């Protein structure tokens, strides 16, 4: 039996299985390729300290970063790109590079740098899922990491500060969205009727922008004008992440099932213990109940009792 693969990732909200783009990329690819992942949603029991999520854990490997996780899954024969031609494979690499260069900075800025979004949505959401006192430290560290990543990729002379690059990154992001919309056209997915790695990346980057309710929506208004991209996100959510019975998402349902399994195992252990104790009692020598000796009253005591019974 193959060793189980466990994916630790940020959880969902606003109808998404995860609000974290990189976690969402891996979750979508796993669905597309049929990879049997056990999902561990980050909560208050988490012991990480750097925010390096998602993380794939197997019996002998720990893999982080979406690109490395997807490559690992392909080596395990879970390949969502097996039907692509060589040209489509090359196009996939080109479009992923475009997404990371043109769209990712705007996604990071929307979540982690835009002050109003960060303090009213991003920071409270992530802090509520991180154990104390790490919840006071890690969101700020993730925000600084996002800012450094933006400046590293876009802070070229003469644009050194985030205020100077803000207009440029949103202009680039809008152009990227237009290119994606034109490339998708009326197709269900980017390479026909079957989802692939590119669909996982586009979905992971677009769905949080599309669904999360931010007070500042630099890019969301433009995205919602591109109906085919919105329909693309909605179709994937409906086809691959539809809530289970009672409105529980697939990831949440897996957690419920895991907890139920643990509870069942505990009850079975308790039952076995009770049966064993009962068997031991049945095999032990049976002692008959002892009869209490009958106490005889002295004549004086008998007389005293008789007088008490006759007295009114």
């Amino acid at each position: 039996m193959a060793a189980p693969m466990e994916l630790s990732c940020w959880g969902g909200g606003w109808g998404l299985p995860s609000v974290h783009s990189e976690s969402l990329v891996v979750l979508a690819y796993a669905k597309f390729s049929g990879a049997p992942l056990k999902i561990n949603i980050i909560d208050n029991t988490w012991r990480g300290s750097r925010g390096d999520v998602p993380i794939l854990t197997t019996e002998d490997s720990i893999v982080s970063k979406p690109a490395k996780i997807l490559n690992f899954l392909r080596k395990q024969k879970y390949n969502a790109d097996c039907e692509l031609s060589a040209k489509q494979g090359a196009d996939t690499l080109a479009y992923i590079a475009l997404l990371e260069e043109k769209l990712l900075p705007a996604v990071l800025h929307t979540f982690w740098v835009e002050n109003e979004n960060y303090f009213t949505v991003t920071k409270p959401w992530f802090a509520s899922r991180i154990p104390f006192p790490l919840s006071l430290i890690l969101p700020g560290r993730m925000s600084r990491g996002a800012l450094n990543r933006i400046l590293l990729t876009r802070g070229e002379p003469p644009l050194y500060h985030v205020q100077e690059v803000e207009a440029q990154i949103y202009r680039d992001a809008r152009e990227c969205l237009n290119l994606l919309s034109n490339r998708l056209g009326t197709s269900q997915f980017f390479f026909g009727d079957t989802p692939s790695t590119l669909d996982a990346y586009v979905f992971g980057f677009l769905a949080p922008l599309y669904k999360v309710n931010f007070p500042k929506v630099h890019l969301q208004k433009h995205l919602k004008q591109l109906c085919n991209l919105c329909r693309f996100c909605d179709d994937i959510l409906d086809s691959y992440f539809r809530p289970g019975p009672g409105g529980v998402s697939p990831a949440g349902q897996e957690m419920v099932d895991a907890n139920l399994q643990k509870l069942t195992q505990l009850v079975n252990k308790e039952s076995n213990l009770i049966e064993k104790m009962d068997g031991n009692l049945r095999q032990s020598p049976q002692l008959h109940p002892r009869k209490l000796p009958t106490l005889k009253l002295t004549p004086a005591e008998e007389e005293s009792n008789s007088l008490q019974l006759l007295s009114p």
Side-chain angles (χ1 to χ4, degrees), residues 286-292:
Q286 299 296 313
L287 298 177
H288 297 288
R290 293 172 54 190
K291 289 185 177 181
L292 293 176

Side-chain angles (χ1 to χ4, degrees), residues 200-216:
Y201 269 89
V202 174
F203 174 74
F205 285 8
L206 293 191
L209 285 174
Y210 174 40
K211 292 292 186 180
V212 176
N213 295 324
F214 287 115
K216 290 290 186 69

Side-chain angles (χ1 to χ4, degrees), residues 241-254 256-257:
F241 298 100
R242 182 180 300 171
V248 181
S249 66
Q253 187 62 44
E254 289 179 8
V256 171
D257 292 343

Side-chain angles (χ1 to χ4, degrees), residues 67-275:
K68 293 181 179 179
I69 294 175
L70 269 55
N71 286 333
F72 180 87
L73 293 177
R74 292 188 191 100
K75 292 178 182 178
Q76 307 304 311
K77 311 301 182 185
Y78 300 107
N79 189 357
D81 301 335
C82 57
E83 297 183 4
L84 299 186
S85 65
K87 181 181 182 306
Q88 289 172 331
D91 287 346
T92 296
L93 296 177
Y95 273 99
I96 290 174
L98 177 70
L99 287 167
E100 292 181 341
E101 180 184 353
K102 300 292 187 181
L103 186 58
L104 181 59
V107 174
L108 294 174
H109 189 277
T110 299
F111 271 85
W112 296 102
V113 181
E114 173 60 56
N115 277 338
E116 193 170 351
N117 291 348
Y118 174 71
F119 285 107
T120 62
V121 177
T122 308
K123 183 179 179 180
W125 191 94
F126 280 87
S128 68
R129 287 153 177 83
I130 303 172
F132 181 85
L134 193 60
S135 59
L136 304 177
I137 303 170
L138 189 56
R141 185 180 297 171
M142 295 170 72
S143 177
R144 290 190 295 273
L147 177 58
N148 290 337
R149 190 169 177 178
I150 291 172
L151 293 177
L152 181 65
T153 57
R154 307 311 302 272
E156 300 173 351
L159 306 177
Y160 293 100
H161 302 290
V162 69
Q163 292 84 359
E164 297 172 336
V165 304
E166 182 177 331
Q168 183 64 45
I169 63 177
Y170 282 107
R171 183 161 54 249
D172 289 346
R174 286 191 293 271
E175 291 177 0
C176 182
L177 290 178
N178 292 338
L179 287 173
L180 291 173
S181 178
N182 292 333
R183 176 64 182 81
L184 180 63
T186 59
S187 300
Q188 183 178 6
F189 301 108
F190 280 89
F191 295 116
D193 298 329
T194 305
S196 64
T197 297
L198 179 57
D199 298 284
Y201 269 89
V202 174
F203 174 74
F205 285 8
L206 293 191
L209 285 174
Y210 174 40
K211 292 292 186 180
V212 176
N213 295 324
F214 287 115
K216 290 290 186 69
V217 287
H218 297 282
L219 210 53
Q220 193 177 70
K221 289 182 180 179
H222 186 76
L223 174 57
K224 288 186 175 181
Q225 293 173 357
L226 303 173
C227 299
N228 61 340
L229 292 181
C230 297
R231 184 261 308 159
F232 169 83
C233 293
D234 288 331
D235 286 350
I236 290 178
L237 287 170
D238 187 58
S239 299
Y240 295 95
F241 298 100
R242 182 180 300 171
V248 181
S249 66
Q253 187 62 44
E254 289 179 8
M255 292 183 65
V256 171
D257 292 343
N259 291 335
L260 182 59
Q261 184 179 9
K262 290 179 181 178
L263 180 60
T264 303
Q265 292 173 351
L266 180 62
V267 171
N268 289 339
K269 287 182 180 179
E270 296 269 350
S271 299
N272 292 336
L273 180 60
I274 292 173
E275 289 179 2

